[in-house]
Amino acid sequence: EVQLVESGGGLVQPGGSLRLSCAASGLTISGYWMHWVRQAPGKGLVWVSRINSDGTTTTYADSVKGRFTISRDNAKNTLYLQMNSLRAEDTAVYYCARVYGDYGWFDPWGQGTLVTVSS
Amino acid sequence: DIVMTQSPDSLAVSLGERATINCKSSQSVLYSPNNKNYLAWYQQKPGQPPKLLIYWASTRESGVPDRFGGSGSGTDFTLTISSLQAEDVAVYYCQQYYSTPYTFGQGTRLEIK
């Protein structure tokens, strides 16, 4: 089955850190841009970050710049998101998604992992 | 940033009837060198990730029923469901991939009347 599977979410206190993983099975992430998108409970979709196929180019939303770091390990077919200095407003389901080319649509998406920032 | 605005926020349509969702971008997402609109549509059902329906504003993803259609160019786009089925109840999002930050519309909730 072709899928992306996120993990690493959970409950963390404000100011804390988490590392999300996105493991691909039945498909390769090698050669593709990979992205993170988040969705706060009951809210819409918000793009977070992207990384190019060899990991040399990254882009971030202003809301996470300087706090989040996207990375990848093509040998492990896995994408990561290191989240530091977490805030209550970072509470969301985090999805990883693959994009073909520098600018393209998201497909497929993972099932998502919930991050809750609360004391 | 390109702002995407969908209308309406919610919509109730009878089974078998047409549903129309609009999406407007704050600047054109038409890339002149290839004449393509960098606009996608997604469907999201409760507890599920978004599912790609349409890309390049009007190209239906493989496996998506042909009752789903996308149209428009530049700054104004439309998603049309020609004959609403019960399984189409969902929230629909448009998204531009013309420039970063990629941005989504706020979503349109589609229900059965």
Side-chain angles (χ1 to χ4, degrees):
Chain A
E1 184 181 3
V2 172
Q3 60 180 351
L4 297 170
V5 180
E6 300 93 337
S7 60
L11 175 63
V12 60
Q13 293 188 338
S17 299
L18 277 179
R19 189 196 196 200
L20 306 184
S21 299
C22 167
S25 63
L27 74 158
T28 181
I29 68 169
S30 181
Y32 293 88
W33 284 78
M34 295 296 295
H35 295 240
W36 289 98
V37 176
R38 69 185 181 184
Q39 186 171 35
K43 302 297 186 182
L45 301 163
V46 177
W47 175 82
V48 172
S49 181
R50 68 171 185 167
I51 186 169
N52 71 339
S53 58
D54 63 6
T56 57
T57 299
T58 58
T59 315
Y60 299 92
D62 286 346
S63 58
V64 306
K65 201 172 295 182
R67 300 188 298 124
F68 290 12
T69 302
I70 190 172
S71 62
R72 64 193 296 158
D73 185 335
N74 288 337
K76 294 183 177 180
N77 218 14
T78 301
L79 173 73
Y80 303 100
L81 186 68
Q82 177 67 43
M83 305 186 297
N84 298 331
S85 302
L86 282 162
R87 307 166 179 167
E89 54 265 36
D90 296 319
T91 294
V93 173
Y94 285 73
Y95 297 102
C96 61
R98 191 178 73 171
V99 166
Y100 183 78
D102 291 11
Y103 289 90
W105 51 91
F106 298 118
D107 183 62
W109 296 66
Q111 285 296 313
T113 187
L114 176 62
V115 172
T116 303
V117 185
S118 175
S119 55
Chain B
D1 298 3
I2 299 177
V3 177
M4 308 298 291
T5 304
Q6 291 180 226
S7 61
D9 289 336
S10 63
L11 180 63
V13 174
S14 301
L15 289 173
E17 296 299 307
R18 178 184 299 265
T20 301
I21 299 170
N22 300 301
C23 175
K24 188 174 185 67
S25 58
S26 60
Q27 63 189 75
S28 177
V29 298
L30 173 64
Y31 186 55
S32 300
N34 60 12
N35 199 37
K36 288 184 179 293
N37 287 283
Y38 283 52
L39 189 285
W41 288 96
Y42 302 89
Q43 175 194 66
Q44 188 178 33
K45 298 181 178 180
Q48 297 184 17
K51 172 189 172 184
L52 175 69
L53 296 176
I54 303 282
Y55 56 93
W56 297 135
S58 61
T59 301
R60 197 180 308 114
E61 168 70 340
S62 175
V64 172
D66 60 8
R67 64 180 179 273
F68 289 91
S71 63
S73 185
T75 62
D76 291 279
F77 301 91
T78 300
L79 175 70
T80 301
I81 307 173
S82 59
S83 177
L84 189 70
Q85 305 299 303
E87 61 265 32
D88 300 334
V89 169
V91 179
Y92 293 84
Y93 295 92
C94 61
Q95 177 240 333
Q96 65 82 19
Y97 47 94
Y98 183 89
S99 66
T100 56
Y102 287 8
T103 46
F104 294 84
Q106 79 276 20
T108 295
R109 185 175 302 276
L110 178 59
E111 300 172 334
I112 304 294
K113 184 187 291 184

